[in-house]
Amino acid sequence: MDASAAVGRLLEAGGDGRLEEVAARWGVRLLTLFGSGARDPARARDVDVAVLGAPPPGPGAAGPSPDLLGLVGDLVDLTGFDGVDVLDLAAASPTARHRALTGARLLVEAEPGLFARRQMAAALEFYETAWMRAADLRRMSA
């Protein structure tokens, strides 16, 4: 099994409801396909998915992370491919979040508009923190 076929199986599972069952089992509210699998599946070497778990219990609190090991196991079983990489959006850096949501393919969305809201928040955070990344690069090159 190659990554391209695995992406096809993942998209098929997203279309027929099996992926929603997997996501619900492991506490995932949002699941996207990103990277080369989303841009050009024929050239992909792995399958990159991003996930978001349950909402935080209150303002300022961090929401629980989904069970990533269980999720990866189910995604490997579903796709027949062991090159599935999972990014937890809640624990990711602004750059990783931006890359995982911008240009991504939506696979599971527990509530309408969640994907769009997360995309906008990731883009805003990425651009608002650009000055910090630039300062870090200047400091490292000095």
Side-chain angles (χ1 to χ4, degrees), residues 58-100:
S65 291
D67 181 344
L68 297 181
L69 290 178
L71 176 64
V72 168
D74 276 359
L75 291 175
V76 166
D77 290 345
L78 192 66
T79 62
F81 182 67
D82 65 0
V84 177
D85 297 327
V86 176
L87 174 72
D88 182 354
L89 290 167
S93 71
T95 302
R97 253 191 306 279
H98 183 257
R99 288 205 173 127

Side-chain angles (χ1 to χ4, degrees), residues 10 13 20 22 29 43 51 75 77 79-80 86 88-89 120:
L10 190 65
E20 284 184 3
V22 168
R29 295 176 28 225
R43 301 185 79 161
V51 300
L75 291 175
D77 290 345
T79 62
V86 176
D88 182 354
L89 290 167
M120 289 184 286

Side-chain angles (χ1 to χ4, degrees), residues 13-57:
D16 66 19
R18 289 178 291 152
L19 199 51
E20 284 184 3
E21 292 171 12
V22 168
R25 181 178 314 124
W26 300 112
V28 172
R29 295 176 28 225
L30 179 68
L31 193 143
T32 66
L33 173 68
F34 71 99
S36 58
R39 288 188 312 272
D40 186 4
R43 301 185 79 161
R45 291 180 291 161
D46 62 1
V47 177
D48 297 312
V49 296
V51 300
L52 182 67

Side-chain angles (χ1 to χ4, degrees), residues 113-137:
L114 179 61
F115 180 51
R117 288 192 308 275
R118 290 298 173 159
Q119 281 182 312
M120 289 184 286
L124 182 63
E125 180 185 34
F126 177 76
Y127 293 115
E128 284 182 343
T129 58
W131 68 273
M132 289 186 275
R133 289 188 300 282
D136 284 344
L137 287 173

